[in-house]
Amino acid sequence: MNKRCLAMVLAGGGGERLKPLTKKLAKPAVLFGGKYRIIDFALSNCINSGIYTVGIVVQYEPLILNSHINSGGIWDMHNGRGQITILPPYMNENGGCWYKGTANAIYQNLEYIDMYNPEYIIILSADQVYKMDYSLMLDEHVKKAADVTIAVTGVDWDEACRFGIMEVEDTGRIVKFEEKPKQPKSNLASMGIYIFNTEFLKKCIIEDENDKNSANDFGKNILPKLMNSGAKLNAYKFDGYWRDVGTVYSFWKAHMDLLEENNKLNLYDPTWKIYCEHIAVPPLYINHTAKVNSSMIGEGCYILGEVTNSVIFPGVFIGRGAHIKDSVIMSNVRVEDNVDINRTIIGSNSWIKAASIEYEESSIEDRIYYIDEGQIIE
Ligand code: ADQ
């Protein structure tokens, strides 16, 4: 498939609803699943789908995201078959400005797109966890001769208001699209994954730039306008595991999903690897005083206490008599002896000394507690 289709990964958003985890970090760079960063899912899907030329649009807190992408071997897009390019906002002879919305971020990179002159462009979000073969979506886009194909999936009704929601005919044609409706009439959600014919995409975003009232965003502006214009928008139904981990609760819940036996994301499938950065840490050590159940534990951890139904990232120390339950502990956290931690996300590099955590100081959402990165709790 290669340069017939170019991927543009939107990775510049502020991650407002995931704020405690994204204070100093772009959401796509947030750690996920015991060893990955969220963006690894979209990028691995690209590699596994045969798309090796990828532009990543960055803006908010890009430092760690940039160094992750530039960290070497893993993202060399399979031995030079393609290239990943990081695309921050830039100045030119006419000035320059920050990426206003997602469509503007693509608009400001039309020169990059023209360099490859692809027939199709797939636009991806970098803040979702899923495994998907984009080449099947492209096949359907071509077969149905659509102007735009949007990947869609069913979501829980009580979450539908945080997505673009649509109604779709049996033929696959989208007949109604509403961005984040207050009272959704369907639970069929846009996954924020779009395939456009390149020329059509250019026309849409250039026209949208001339509309001074537009926020230049795909969900808010481009797709509703296209619905009214009679363009052919088709839905590509995806029924695998997909989560937009955009809130603290959905982030925690996606981790708990991972711990279910035979969970649908299945990180252990050798035919669809999720690639990630390698770090030089020693092997995992589990002492005879430790008890570990239904948990994922990263390399370099040193476990003396009890861990139940939790995801522990690399380099974590868990002391003797400590109990960790239904929790997500990020990298290099130290939990001292006899500490109890329950339904909590603990940010990297924290040091938990208190026997039980004073939750008043942390964020609470749906009874999930959060301890900021680098905290000493005593
Ligand atoms: P949201 O997830 O709310 O809805 P948004 O916050 O715009 O959309 O984020 C989408 C992606 O674009 C993220 O990866 C984000 O980092 C990036 N992004 C946001 N603003 C950006 C900017 N100015 N420059 C560069 N990158 C930016 C969208 C759709 C919904 C759909 C959900 C599915 O609008 O219709 O249902 O995704 O998750």
Side-chain angles (χ1 to χ4, degrees):
M1 185 155 58
N2 53 59
K3 282 159 211 162
R4 184 179 169 222
C5 182
L6 170 84
M8 293 294 281
V9 180
L10 299 166
E16 282 305 316
R17 289 160 303 153
L18 196 60
K19 207 66 204 184
L21 288 101
T22 49
K23 269 190 206 156
K24 297 197 189 102
L25 195 63
K27 183 158 62 161
V30 169
L31 294 171
F32 184 86
K35 69 181 295 177
Y36 309 95
R37 292 189 188 271
I38 298 173
I39 196 170
D40 294 343
F41 288 83
L43 294 180
S44 298
N45 287 338
C46 284
I47 292 179
N48 293 331
S49 304
I51 301 176
Y52 301 117
T53 305
V54 180
I56 305 181
V57 181
V58 300
Q59 173 162 268
Y60 175 83
E61 288 287 356
L63 182 65
I64 291 180
L65 186 57
N66 288 349
S67 73
H68 176 63
I69 300 301
N70 291 327
S71 62
I74 37 159
W75 301 125
D76 72 354
M77 296 321 250
H78 280 211
N79 307 321
R81 275 189 272 179
Q83 196 175 12
I84 289 195
T85 308
I86 293 186
L87 303 166
Y90 59 92
M91 305 287 286
N92 61 19
E93 58 180 352
N94 304 317
C97 62
W98 296 108
Y99 296 141
K100 187 172 161 196
T102 49
N104 176 256
I106 302 294
Y107 172 78
Q108 292 204 43
N109 286 293
L110 285 178
E111 265 179 51
Y112 167 77
I113 291 172
D114 285 343
M115 245 166 68
Y116 292 101
N117 194 23
E119 230 174 303
Y120 305 101
I121 297 200
I122 184 164
I123 296 174
L124 304 169
S125 288
D127 56 355
Q128 308 166 346
V129 293
Y130 63 111
K131 296 192 300 192
M132 179 173 168
D133 189 341
Y134 304 134
S135 70
L136 302 179
M137 180 172 167
L138 181 61
D139 288 348
E140 189 161 310
H141 175 81
V142 174
K143 198 170 104 206
K144 294 263 174 83
D147 293 316
V148 187
T149 300
I150 305 179
V152 303
T153 194
V155 294
D156 290 344
W157 275 96
D158 57 350
E159 295 230 70
C161 58
R162 47 181 202 104
F163 297 105
I165 292 294
M166 61 193 86
E167 286 169 31
V168 175
E169 283 176 347
D170 290 345
T171 57
R173 186 152 187 160
I174 300 169
V175 288
K176 194 162 180 211
F177 178 89
E178 253 188 299
E179 178 72 355
K180 302 180 184 151
K182 290 210 170 67
Q183 281 160 340
K185 294 187 186 65
S186 146
N187 68 338
L188 202 53
S190 158
M191 296 163 65
I193 299 173
Y194 318 117
I195 295 183
F196 279 81
N197 297 345
T198 306
E199 290 312 313
F200 187 74
L201 172 70
K202 285 189 193 168
K203 181 174 156 288
C204 301
I205 57 180
I206 291 171
E207 275 173 21
D208 186 59
E209 284 294 319
N210 293 328
D211 174 356
K212 294 298 162 225
N213 296 319
S214 176
N216 307 128
D217 181 87
F218 281 102
K220 287 187 205 124
N221 310 103
I222 303 275
L223 298 179
K225 276 184 194 168
L226 287 178
M227 282 309 305
N228 294 331
S229 74
K232 192 166 177 198
L233 272 69
N234 242 67
Y236 173 76
K237 286 202 180 135
F238 177 73
D239 57 13
Y241 183 94
W242 175 84
R243 289 291 179 278
D244 168 328
V245 287
T247 64
V248 174
Y249 180 77
S250 63
F251 180 82
W252 173 83
K253 180 69 174 66
H255 279 92
M256 295 301 111
D257 291 347
L258 278 182
L259 299 172
E260 283 170 17
E261 210 177 323
N262 302 322
N263 76 80
K264 277 175 89 186
L265 189 59
N266 189 10
L267 298 174
Y268 300 88
D269 174 4
T271 67
W272 203 270
K273 283 189 192 161
I274 303 300
Y275 298 93
C276 61
E277 190 179 353
H278 295 292
I279 43 167
V281 288
L284 159 67
Y285 173 75
I286 300 182
N287 192 35
H288 69 278
T289 52
K291 260 196 210 158
V292 176
N293 277 306
S294 308
S295 294
M296 283 181 172
I297 310 221
E299 295 168 284
C301 288
Y302 203 89
I303 314 284
L304 308 176
E306 243 179 70
V307 182
T308 309
N309 210 48
S310 296
V311 178
I312 315 286
F313 283 77
V316 170
F317 172 90
I318 295 184
R320 217 175 282 259
H323 291 88
I324 314 292
K325 190 164 179 278
D326 300 339
S327 294
V328 179
I329 315 273
M330 307 284 204
S331 308
N332 304 318
V333 166
R334 185 173 174 93
V335 178
E336 292 299 348
D337 294 354
N338 304 316
V339 172
D340 275 358
I341 294 174
N342 203 358
R343 284 175 76 91
T344 303
I345 301 169
I346 300 198
S348 300
N349 304 313
S350 294
W351 186 4
I352 315 294
K353 301 179 182 177
S356 70
I357 297 171
E358 285 299 323
Y359 286 119
E360 289 78 33
E361 287 181 15
S362 54
S363 307
I364 302 176
E365 187 192 336
D366 292 305
R367 298 195 53 248
I368 303 307
Y369 303 98
Y370 180 76
I371 302 288
D372 242 346
E373 203 177 305
Q375 300 297 300
I376 301 178
I377 308 285
E378 31 197 352

